[in-house]
Every structure is written in structure tokens, then in C-alpha cells.
Amino acid sequence: MKNLNQFLVCLFLSLLSVVGQAQRNTPYFVKHLQFSGNESLEQKAVMAARLIPSSQQLEWQKMELTAFLHFGINTFTGREWGDGTEDPALFNPTDLDAEQWVRTLKECGFKMVLLTAKHHDGFCLWPTKTTKHSVASSPWKNGKGDVVRELRDACSKYGMKFGVYLSPWDRNASCYGNSPEYNKFFVAQLTELLTNYGEVHEVWFDGANGEGPNGKKQEYDWDTFYKTIQRLQPKAVMAIMGDDVRWVGNEKGLGRDTEWSATVLTPGIYARSKENNKRLGVYETATDLGSRKMLENATELFWYPSEVDVSIRPGWFWHEEENSKIKSLKQLSDIYFRSVGYNSVLLLNIPPDRRGLINEADISRLKEFAAYRQQVFCDNKLINGNTYWKAAQGEKHVYTVRQNTPVNVVMLQEDISKGQRVENFIIEAWLNGSWQLLGKGTTIGYKRMLRFPEVMTDSLRICIESTRLDANIMNVAAYYAQPLIDEEQLTTWNNLSRDSWKKISVSPLTVDFGKTVTVKAFTYAPLNEEAKPTMAYHYKLYISLNGTDWQEVISNGEFSNIMHNPLPQTVALPQSKQARYIKIEATTPNASTAVIELEELGVTVISDDNK
Ligand code: FUL
């Protein structure tokens, strides 16, 4: 009997040790996992719970707030997309000071700066050996300047991380479209940037290409680009056309409230991406990229977290007339809650001006924004929020709120070094003797913030309603964010009352203003600031005094980047002109006939004429 007991104890202990070992050896999948095809949905969800970020991805996510600097030839031409024919002599900032950029951004809480080393116009901000189309051919510093170097040095001085944007689409390079040749050219540019400027933390390849069906066709060699980065900067994350960081899908600063970093979307740089994504019916802008429903048919999963890129101004580059259109504190704070607070990194663009400085108007808004965040987030109202909570499905945890203090924000964080697991959660407050619902959410991930009308309570309760394996909640906090109100935005891009307008024809849109006016500029403003397949991209603009004899005033117009950033675009006529009629002939990004509504057209007329 004694022996039997000893035997059973031994058996039990060895079983315990086997189970312990199995748990310790639990496989995590770093960045990618492949399903075998034999798993049940439940097994797939368990595997998905064990998909974790690479160390670079984790470091990147923790930055939360990064800055984009769109600067280049467009700063001097006033355009959003240059066409590559610009004279490098135009590039001549009078007071460029990269230390001013970095100091300002650091003071305002940014952890990294990303510079447009080359935008679609092909102009390089460093003296590259690959083309003459660079700062070396400009009058700035007599052609001896190097913006990338100046920024790099400033980043080193202030302890700021550094990233580069290099546009694959190049409207200047004559070899663009000759695929092998351009790929070599691009790799040479990448190599210069990744070898001559110390550590690079993010490499941003824009997916934009406005060539259209009749334009140049370039097959990018993503694999070689990717290997070049891995070889030269193994700690950098590769963003957008890359497999470390995913574009959120819009340029409005809007994240998803359900944001899975463990996603079924195959990054665009993989040869299999088109086929995989088509089969699953997913695309960059889809709302659901990782729920159980999506797991059902998925054959593989990626840790591919979202980055929200948005400009502090309507455009990405600095334009004088946008000094008065900087996003309000309320807009910036909403963007913050919907990006960082929706499990994303916020990449906020602050474009330096023609002097080569961050403009005073942007600085004062950035400071306001930083002060607001400081005020809200320095004061966690929970006493026991940072206790690590391993939460089983359905488990609840009560948190104590400091007394006599209102709250209207709750922040939750999962320990994503163990995967993203929570599928549904609720937040309740103890009010008038019972638990009352404050808000519900789906995913948490690195960080999830939920806003609700303010309450005074001494306890909050979080319930993890569903999770893939036990959730690892590493931080819960509650805050009070002072509500912000915006003054109503006025439409400034049409100053001729539409009451007297008459639509003469739908296609092309032809309008009779009802009287003769002097037109200085016109505006195309996609309805509801939404992109649609029938929207205008390339256009010709005509005016007329009698509706019969037409004068072509713009022949090769382009609403640059309108597909991704469908905000009003105002175009000045080469010269102000008298007109009673206006006609716009436009084609879509796919080169078919565009549809423009009357409400989408605006004109700026010279006021004397308008009396
Ligand atoms: C887009 C570009 O076309 C814009 O000009 C800008 O650089 C933005 C960040 O990405 O796709």
C-alpha cells in the first residue's frame, strides 16, 4: 500500500512536471503562422492567440506617436504630387534647421521622425549618386547640402528615432517602367540611405501610383528591396509596402475600433498576396481583418499592426494657404483616441515650410495637443490598474477609482509579447448601488481607449467576455479628458452663390453661373470627402463667355492623391479670367469618364466682379 501511494505521488509529480514543461515550451509564432489545413476553428483561434510581434515590431508599437515630414520640391511648387519635370533650382530653403524640427517634435512627445527622402517626383533630399535630380543640383548650400544628413544628426543629438520614406513610384527617373533597370536604381538609392546615415528605424515604401492603365508599368522587386533592408538595417521595420507595418487604409486619421494586429491580410509585397486576399475577400481598407469569421478560411496569419498616417493640414506638403487650415485641437485629439486608442501607431505629418522650418502655426497647435495629452494622461484615476491580470473567458476584475474624481476614458492594454487575444470586453461602473454599463469593445491589443460620458464612481469593473486563450491584461487606467468643442468649419472654397447656377450638361459637367464673373481659382471637392471609382483624377478645364466658344484654361490637370486623400483641391487658373460658363472634362484613376456633381465644384471669383 505504502509503495502504491509512493508510486501514485511519483506519477502525479512527473505528470505535473510534463504539463509544466509543455506550458513552458508553448510555441509562440513570431510574425507569421501557417495553418496546416486540418485545424478546427477553435484550434485556429488558439494558434492565433500565440502569434506575437517580432522584437522590432514590439519596439515600434511602443513608440505610439511618430512624425512624418513631407518636404521636397512640392514645398516650393505648391503641389501635392510633382510630375518629375521640376527644376531642382526651385529647391532653396532659406533657413533650413533640422534641429528645430527635431527639438519641436521631441518636446511635443514624438518618438520618431520619418522624412520623405524622395517623393513621387523623384527629387532626392540627399546628394545621391544615382541621379542628378537631387539637392546637389539645387542652389541650397551651393549644392553641398544634405537634408537627410542634417535630420540624422539632429535625431542623434536629441535621441530621436529616424526613418526614411522612399517612394517606389518615380516620375522623374527615365528608367521607371524598365523593371530590371529601375529596380537596380531603386536598390542603389535604398543602399545609400541605409548605409550612410547610421541606424534607420523605419523604411516607408508608399504604395501610391497614379500612372493609370495607360501609364508606365513597373514590376517592383519587393523581395530584393526587403532583403536589402534586412541586410543593411536588420532592426528597421518595413512599412506599408512591407510586412512589418500595415497602412490603416485611409489618410483621415481614422483607425478601426476592431483592430487585429494578428491579421489574415497578406502583405502586398508577397507574390501570393493578390490570390490569398482575393480568396478571403480582404483588402487594406476592409473593416474586419482578423475575427474568427476571417480565421475560418485563412491559410496563414501575419502579425501586421496598423499605422494611422494623417497630416496636420489638409495636404501632405506645406502650402501657404493652408496655414489657416491646421487641424483643431479637437480634431487632433479625436485622431489620437482613434489611432493610438485603437491599437495603432499615429504617424502625424507636420510639413516644414519654404524656409525649411516647422511653421509657427503648426508649432503652436502641436504644443496645445501635447499639453492636452499631458493633462489627460498624467493623472491615472485608478489605484490598482497596473496589476497583471491573467483573465480567463468571462472573468471580471474590479478597479478602485480615487474618490471624488470624474472619469470619461478607460484605457486597456494587453501584453502583446504574448499575443493579441481579447475578442470582447465590457466596462461597468458602480453607480447608485448597481453595476451599470459604460461601454463595450471588441479588440484591445497594445492599447485600447474607450470614451464615454463622464461618471463619478468609486469602482470600475472590466469583464473579458471572450478571449482566445487567457488574456494577459497588463494595464488598466481611467482618465478624465476635458471635452473639446470645435467652431463650425466654413466652406471657404466657393464664394459664388450656387443659387444662380444652372447645370447645362452632366458629362462633361458644364455650368452656367447665371452671370459673368472673374474666376481666379476653382475647386474639386469629392462629396462627403469620400473616394469613389467614378471620381475625377485627370482633367481639362474650359471656360466660356457665351456657352458656345470655349477656351481651354488647364489642359493637363491632375487632382494628385485624391484617391487616398479625397479633400477639396483648389487650383488657381494661370491667370484670372472672365467667364459665365465653366466645363470640366475628367477621367477617373482608371482612365474612364469621371462623374462630377454640381456640389463638388466650387469657384473663387474676384469680389469686385461679384457686386
Ligand atoms: C500617399 C502619397 O501619394 C501622398 O503624397 C503622401 O505621401 C501619403 C503619405 O501617401 O500615398
Side-chain angles (χ1 to χ4, degrees):
M1 192 61 166
K2 196 176 163 210
N3 279 349
L4 183 63
N5 273 347
Q6 271 174 349
F7 170 70
L8 286 177
V9 170
C10 277
L11 183 68
F12 179 62
L13 286 178
S14 37
L15 273 177
L16 264 189
S17 125
V18 169
V19 171
Q21 245 168 35
Q23 271 174 0
R24 270 194 302 278
N25 297 339
T26 301
Y28 280 112
F29 305 93
V30 180
K31 208 173 150 181
H32 176 244
L33 78 81
Q34 187 76 43
F35 295 120
S36 69
N38 299 322
E39 299 91 352
S40 65
L41 181 57
E42 191 51 41
Q43 285 166 331
K44 279 181 149 179
V46 165
M47 286 171 77
R50 293 194 170 124
L51 179 62
I52 59 172
S54 67
S55 53
Q56 294 95 304
Q57 288 176 312
L58 186 57
E59 284 311 304
W60 171 86
Q61 187 90 51
K62 286 184 191 162
M63 285 191 278
E64 297 192 2
L65 185 59
T66 57
F68 227 163
L69 296 172
H70 273 67
F71 186 60
I73 212 85
N74 295 333
T75 314
F76 298 87
T77 57
R79 297 183 69 173
E80 276 291 293
W81 280 359
D83 60 14
T85 61
E86 295 81 9
D87 184 347
L90 291 168
F91 185 84
N92 198 11
T94 46
D95 300 293
L96 189 138
D97 181 0
E99 287 202 10
Q100 185 250 14
W101 306 349
V102 177
R103 225 183 306 118
T104 306
L105 296 169
K106 175 121 189 178
E107 265 172 43
C108 295
F110 293 84
K111 299 292 185 311
M112 173 163 72
V113 270
L114 248 152
L115 174 71
T116 51
K118 179 186 83 167
H119 203 252
H120 311 323
D121 52 68
F123 183 77
C124 299
L125 292 183
W126 77 104
T128 172
K129 294 200 176 84
T130 59
T131 170
K132 289 208 165 59
H133 202 55
S134 82
V135 279
S137 309
S138 80
W140 178 61
K141 297 199 167 175
N142 292 321
K144 300 273 179 296
D146 182 344
V147 186
V148 179
R149 167 87 50 222
E150 295 200 13
L151 179 61
R152 188 36 174 129
D153 291 348
C155 285
S156 305
K157 178 164 172 183
Y158 291 98
M160 178 76 105
K161 291 195 170 160
F162 168 73
V164 288
Y165 165 116
L166 187 67
S167 169
W169 184 33
D170 188 322
R171 300 174 105 177
N172 175 268
S174 53
C175 57
Y176 188 84
N178 173 340
S179 296
E181 214 187 303
Y182 180 75
N183 286 331
K184 254 200 244 150
F185 170 92
F186 190 79
V187 168
Q189 296 194 327
L190 191 58
T191 305
E192 288 180 354
L193 288 173
L194 303 188
T195 38
N196 298 335
Y197 298 93
E199 191 163 358
V200 176
H201 300 96
E202 182 161 344
V203 179
W204 220 89
F205 290 155
D206 201 323
N209 183 321
E211 288 289 323
N214 308 320
K216 294 182 180 173
K217 298 215 173 7
Q218 169 70 34
E219 293 284 333
Y220 298 114
D221 184 357
W222 296 117
D223 196 44
T224 304
F225 302 170
Y226 181 56
K227 286 187 178 131
T228 307
I229 297 174
Q230 278 200 322
R231 182 166 51 82
L232 300 173
Q233 294 286 345
K235 291 195 192 141
V237 288
M238 186 167 159
I240 315 310
M241 298 311 289
D243 67 352
D244 291 309
V245 171
R246 165 169 53 90
W247 180 48
V248 71
N250 63 74
E251 295 181 1
K252 292 183 177 168
L254 265 185
R256 297 171 179 78
D257 54 2
T258 301
E259 185 58 89
W260 285 103
S261 296
T263 153
V264 300
L265 186 81
T266 305
I269 57 165
Y270 295 149
R272 61 188 188 281
S273 74
K274 269 212 178 92
E275 193 194 317
N276 271 4
N277 294 336
K278 191 166 167 212
R279 190 175 52 77
L280 296 174
V282 282
Y283 40 93
E284 289 167 316
T285 53
T287 44
D288 182 1
L289 294 177
S291 71
R292 280 186 194 235
K293 189 165 159 275
M294 297 311 294
L295 294 186
E296 244 164 49
N297 298 321
T299 50
E300 52 188 322
L301 270 191
F302 301 84
W303 186 273
Y304 195 27
S306 135
E307 180 178 63
V308 172
D309 62 325
V310 62
S311 184
I312 194 164
R313 290 159 170 255
W316 288 98
F317 285 87
W318 181 86
H319 309 295
E320 172 114 57
E321 67 278 12
E322 292 185 356
N323 282 350
S324 56
K325 295 187 183 154
I326 295 175
K327 291 197 168 58
S328 66
L329 176 62
K330 174 166 176 10
Q331 286 172 307
L332 289 179
S333 116
D334 284 340
I335 286 173
Y336 187 80
F337 278 110
R338 291 189 193 138
S339 55
V340 176
Y342 278 1
N343 188 31
S344 297
V345 166
L346 172 56
L347 174 58
L348 182 66
N349 179 64
I350 304 109
D353 63 18
R354 284 190 188 161
R355 294 170 302 172
L357 295 173
I358 296 186
N359 195 271
E360 294 72 7
D362 303 80
I363 296 183
S364 76
R365 189 51 46 74
L366 283 179
K367 288 196 169 158
E368 248 185 293
F369 180 35
Y372 183 76
R373 294 191 324 268
Q374 164 71 14
Q375 193 192 27
V376 174
F377 298 112
C378 72
D379 190 16
N380 181 2
K381 316 275 187 197
L382 297 188
I383 290 172
N384 52 342
N386 55 9
T387 39
Y388 202 102
W389 173 30
K390 203 149 181 64
Q393 181 141 306
E395 215 174 288
K396 296 179 175 148
H397 198 108
V398 175
Y399 295 89
T400 311
V401 182
R402 269 190 279 121
Q403 272 171 8
N404 293 327
T405 161
V407 294
N408 60 6
V409 175
V410 165
M411 183 195 83
L412 299 151
Q413 289 191 280
E414 275 183 82
D415 175 2
I416 56 165
S417 68
K418 299 195 170 69
Q420 183 182 4
R421 301 182 171 189
V422 175
E423 293 175 316
N424 279 296
F425 67 91
I426 60 169
I427 304 175
E428 295 162 306
W430 184 253
L431 291 169
N432 308 323
S434 68
W435 288 107
Q436 297 194 18
L437 187 69
L438 283 185
K440 286 171 184 244
T442 49
T443 50
I444 296 179
Y446 170 72
K447 193 172 260 192
R448 175 74 166 92
M449 293 196 255
L450 227 101
R451 294 186 284 178
F452 44 84
E454 73 177 66
V455 287
M456 288 285 262
T457 175
D458 47 24
S459 308
L460 290 178
R461 186 165 77 170
I462 313 287
C463 174
I464 301 299
E465 288 196 305
S466 61
T467 174
R468 305 168 174 178
L469 291 180
D470 288 355
N472 300 292
I473 307 296
M474 66 173 194
N475 193 21
V476 179
Y479 303 103
Y480 178 71
Q482 187 74 43
L484 299 166
I485 302 162
D486 252 356
E487 279 160 30
E488 245 185 70
Q489 302 274 325
L490 292 175
T491 300
T492 51
W493 46 263
N494 180 42
N495 66 355
L496 181 65
S497 161
R498 285 205 182 83
D499 294 349
S500 56
W501 293 21
K502 234 176 46 215
K503 206 193 272 184
I504 305 286
S505 101
V506 174
S507 183
L509 178 67
T510 311
V511 178
D512 174 2
F513 295 137
K515 60 181 170 191
T516 300
V517 290
T518 305
V519 182
K520 202 172 136 202
F522 87 102
T523 297
Y524 172 50
L527 271 193
N528 308 320
E529 300 185 348
E530 272 166 16
K532 50 186 179 202
T534 53
M535 77 198 304
Y537 172 45
H538 284 130
Y539 67 90
K540 285 179 196 287
L541 188 81
Y542 304 85
I543 51 169
S544 167
L545 285 166
N546 56 16
T548 314
D549 307 309
W550 291 95
Q551 184 189 358
E552 187 179 280
V553 278
I554 299 180
S555 42
N556 274 319
E558 175 184 284
F559 298 118
S560 306
N561 200 29
I562 198 87
M563 301 76 100
H564 286 152
N565 197 19
L567 299 182
Q569 289 200 13
T570 299
V571 183
L573 304 196
Q575 263 179 334
S576 299
K577 290 266 177 201
Q578 287 220 311
R580 174 169 168 158
Y581 298 84
I582 194 164
K583 175 163 80 180
I584 175 160
E585 258 174 33
T587 52
T588 68
N590 282 327
S592 44
T593 309
V595 181
I596 302 181
E597 307 291 338
L598 193 66
E599 301 73 31
E600 296 180 312
L601 187 74
V603 280
T604 314
V605 301
I606 293 177
S607 55
D608 279 350
D609 217 69
N610 213 4
K611 284 179 186 158

